[in-house]
Amino acid sequence: MPGLTGLRRRLAGLLPADLRVRAVTRAPDGFDARFSALRRHYRYRIVTADWGVDPLRRNDVLHLPRPLDADRMHRAAQGLLGLRDFAAYCRPRPGSTTIRDLQRLDVRRTANPGEIEVLVTADAFCHSMVRSLVGVLIAVGEERSDLAAPVRLLAAGERTAAIHTAPARGLTLTGVDYPPAGQLAERATLTRAVRDDGAVHPERASEGERAVDVSSAANELGGRHT
């Protein structure tokens, strides 16, 4: 599109060396980068190798030179999925809701020796939410916390000193999903609406999904703990 190629070139001269714009297109009417989004995807990488981190990746992984049980972390994480109030995992901001639909929280080892990744997807995230989730799961992986701890902390409904925020270094935004162009404005309007504890997004309500009671999840996970 005329003019946009020149914009891309100008941005290349303005942005820092570690940030590039590869393509520029005109946004459809009604598009809002934040409020039109359906969901966001994040990845958090942790390396536990005692020799440290590959120097070429030192800026995008957390080095934690002690063992982590990734399977244990994954099991504990599943009790947090669903539409819930994540106030305990957020840095509060006046006028902002802390209700989020956490759709994925997977912990797994990668093909790289000593590397664990946490894959997180939600309709949106409040301030420090992903890093707080990772911080609590690290405590589970180190066996400093039991399997039910993440859900128990969530049920408290407020942030406590037991929730530690993992460093920003390991966190990467990997994707943002948007609806078709004709639904962008409607989605933005819906997202701006303040949600309450019983709110369910229309696109997920049609699938019959509902939030899971946190106390039931905690009891189930507690029963698995040995």
Side-chain angles (χ1 to χ4, degrees), residues 66-217:
R66 48 188 181 270
L68 282 179
D69 187 333
D71 291 337
R72 180 183 170 89
M73 294 167 68
H74 179 78
R75 289 167 60 196
Q78 302 317 294
L80 296 171
L81 296 176
L83 184 66
R84 307 177 185 280
D85 187 344
F86 283 91
Y89 286 89
C90 298
R91 300 285 186 186
R93 287 184 170 178
S96 297
T97 179
T98 52
I99 296 173
R100 297 291 186 266
D101 184 10
L102 185 61
Q103 300 165 16
R104 181 183 189 184
L105 186 53
D106 291 342
V107 184
R108 66 188 188 187
R109 292 198 172 274
T110 73
N112 299 318
E115 182 178 89
I116 292 172
E117 65 179 8
V118 184
L119 303 174
V120 194
T121 298
D123 59 343
F125 294 94
C126 45
H127 186 51
S128 295
M129 178 175 163
V130 176
R131 293 194 291 130
S132 296
L133 290 168
V134 172
V136 168
L137 292 177
I138 286 174
V140 173
E142 293 177 330
E143 299 190 13
R144 292 186 287 110
S145 296
D146 62 73
L147 286 172
V151 174
R152 192 167 57 245
L153 291 168
L154 177 72
E158 60 182 4
R159 194 174 183 92
T160 69
I163 295 182
H164 299 284
T165 304
R169 181 180 294 114
L171 184 64
T172 303
L173 174 67
T174 59
V176 181
D177 298 340
Y178 291 96
Q183 300 175 20
L184 290 169
E186 179 184 1
R187 175 64 186 182
T189 300
L190 176 65
T191 304
R192 286 189 177 96
V194 177
R195 291 168 290 181
D196 59 28
D197 289 340
V200 177
H201 297 304
E203 71 273 14
R204 295 186 65 80
S206 64
E207 301 168 5
E209 297 189 22
R210 295 294 185 271
V212 179
D213 181 77
V214 293
S215 60
S216 298

Side-chain angles (χ1 to χ4, degrees), residues 31-98:
F31 174 75
D32 185 294
R34 177 184 177 189
F35 292 110
S36 294
L38 291 173
R39 63 191 66 84
R40 285 89 168 163
H41 308 273
Y42 281 91
R43 177 177 58 217
Y44 195 99
R45 288 187 175 126
I46 306 167
V47 169
T48 61
D50 57 6
W51 51 266
V53 177
D54 182 336
L56 297 179
R57 302 188 56 212
R58 66 188 185 280
N59 293 323
D60 66 357
V61 297
L62 170 67
H63 181 222
L64 200 66
R66 48 188 181 270
L68 282 179
D69 187 333
D71 291 337
R72 180 183 170 89
M73 294 167 68
H74 179 78
R75 289 167 60 196
Q78 302 317 294
L80 296 171
L81 296 176
L83 184 66
R84 307 177 185 280
D85 187 344
F86 283 91
Y89 286 89
C90 298
R91 300 285 186 186
R93 287 184 170 178
S96 297
T97 179
T98 52

